[in-house]
Amino acid sequence: MFSPEGPSLRELAVQALSSVERGYDLLAPKFDHTPFRTPDSVLDAVAAALERKGPFDTGLDLCCGTGAGIDVLTRVCRRGVVGLDFSAGMLTVARERTRPAGGPPVSHVRADARALPFAPAFDLAVSFGAFGHFLPRELPGLFAQVHSVLRPGGAFVFPVVAPPRPGSRAYWMLLGFDAVMRVRNAVWRPPFVMYYRAFRLGEVRPELERAGFSVTLEPLPGFGRRPDGSPRVRMIVARRLEGGPAQTAAGSVNS
């Protein structure tokens, strides 16, 4: 699972017993050599899909980590890209990444995604692999924050991988990981929030709609389909409607 350049077992243990912020500060120099980084195949598929929809003017990579999603945005945005994360260590690595000349200017901001320090200035927001760090009760506030920084018609885009089949090896691995994390957080402080099975599409879509988004699901065809015919990987495209959440909710009642 880990390359030779990745973290040692001891380093992972120290990270797991730290806070989320401190843990990622420690992991940052070796993060790109772990399976926690979003695979290039997923990043490239999302970038290709966005290129067909764009170009866009300004983009935000929410919880940008070491900047892999920023590279997606520089392919589709013309005027500027911002990477936001609350780990100073991850942002340091993101700043050090070498990007092709001639792309849009890139800036990095240290902040909490639950309190975004921006006006409605973005046409596109993306996020890759970060939602496990938010408890289900935090999603309404998170989505409201993203809604607040997008211009009307702006899009919030992220990939979602289909959950593993119940009883499969991957199913038991994720179930076991989440169980270990729950025990860890029950007996150790500060907590480290990372749950792979807490972000469920059936619950996420209604929360996005309540936040004022119009939501569509687009399959990423390069990953094929499961035996039941459903896509293995989808791209969620949530567009900010002209009105806010209250207007959206009123419209739903009257329709």
Side-chain angles (χ1 to χ4, degrees):
M1 293 179 66
F2 292 87
S3 72
E5 296 83 7
S8 66
L9 183 60
R10 179 183 180 280
E11 288 172 323
L12 286 173
V14 172
Q15 182 220 3
L17 294 176
S18 305
S19 67
V20 177
E21 180 179 352
R22 176 59 178 159
Y24 276 102
D25 285 347
L26 295 170
L27 185 61
K30 299 182 179 181
F31 179 80
D32 286 347
H33 301 288
T34 73
F36 308 131
R37 180 187 183 275
T38 302
D40 286 338
S41 57
V42 175
L43 296 167
D44 290 341
V46 172
L50 289 174
E51 284 174 335
R52 294 190 291 270
K53 296 178 179 296
F56 303 87
D57 282 338
T58 53
L60 171 67
D61 184 6
L62 192 72
C63 307
C64 68
T66 56
I70 294 175
D71 293 343
V72 171
L73 290 176
T74 59
R75 291 172 55 176
V76 300
C77 294
R78 298 176 294 191
R79 295 189 177 177
V81 171
V82 175
L84 177 138
D85 205 282
F86 78 159
S87 165
M90 299 291 266
L91 287 173
T92 296
V93 177
R95 290 188 184 99
E96 293 171 350
R97 292 178 73 96
T98 301
R99 296 186 170 86
V106 176
S107 58
H108 303 83
V109 175
R110 186 183 180 194
D112 192 324
R114 293 162 293 194
L116 295 176
F118 306 116
F122 298 98
D123 305 292
L124 174 64
V126 299
S127 192
F128 296 93
F131 295 118
H133 293 303
F134 299 94
L135 297 172
R137 66 174 180 270
E138 296 177 302
L139 293 180
L142 176 67
F143 295 158
Q145 284 292 300
V146 178
H147 184 279
S148 73
V149 302
L150 287 172
R151 296 188 179 102
F156 180 29
V157 175
F158 52 90
V160 174
V161 179
R165 178 177 55 83
S168 66
R169 180 181 178 185
Y171 174 88
W172 290 114
M173 286 178 63
L174 296 184
L175 183 66
F177 180 92
D178 281 9
V180 169
M181 291 304 298
R182 292 185 185 282
V183 172
R184 178 256 187 244
N185 288 334
V187 302
W188 191 269
R189 291 291 183 272
F192 190 95
V193 177
M194 181 64 217
Y195 298 114
Y196 281 104
R197 301 177 70 251
F199 193 78
R200 303 174 187 272
L201 181 58
E203 300 167 0
V204 168
R205 182 170 186 171
E207 291 295 352
L208 285 166
E209 291 172 342
R210 276 191 284 271
F213 290 101
S214 172
V215 182
T216 58
L217 310 179
E218 301 183 12
L220 295 177
F223 299 95
R225 294 182 175 271
R226 302 200 296 175
D228 64 2
S230 62
R232 294 188 185 277
V233 184
R234 289 183 172 100
M235 187 174 78
I236 310 303
V237 180
R239 290 200 174 273
R240 174 177 170 163
L241 301 174
E242 292 292 336
Q247 178 176 328
T248 304
S252 298
V253 171
N254 294 329
S255 60

